Amino acid sequence: MIGFLIALVIGLWLLKIFFKIGFKILGLVFMVIAGLFLIRVALWIGLAVIVLGGMVLFASPFGN
């Protein structure tokens, strides 16, 4: 009975460590995916701002 309890404690401790490492890796993966998505969104917004700025610059009667 005592051996079973010791095995149970060791098993739960290993499970806790496994889940802690697993959740850290999972969080890292989700952070990378979200970061790539946000970088893509930021690049599209930057491109739109550059295009609009160019249109305003070249379509402006005061530019030339």
Side-chain angles (χ1 to χ4, degrees):
M1 187 70 182
I2 293 176
F4 175 73
L5 287 175
I6 292 172
L8 190 65
V9 168
I10 291 173
L12 288 174
W13 180 74
L14 287 174
L15 197 64
K16 184 184 82 167
I17 290 177
F18 173 75
F19 274 114
K20 189 183 272 189
I21 293 172
F23 281 130
K24 280 186 182 176
I25 292 172
L26 199 64
L28 191 66
V29 167
F30 276 119
M31 192 172 64
V32 167
I33 290 172
L36 290 175
F37 176 74
L38 289 175
I39 286 172
R40 197 172 71 183
V41 169
L43 287 175
W44 277 111
I45 290 173
L47 186 66
V49 167
I50 290 171
V51 167
L52 288 174
M55 286 173 52
V56 166
L57 184 67
F58 289 117
S60 171
F62 306 110
N64 302 1

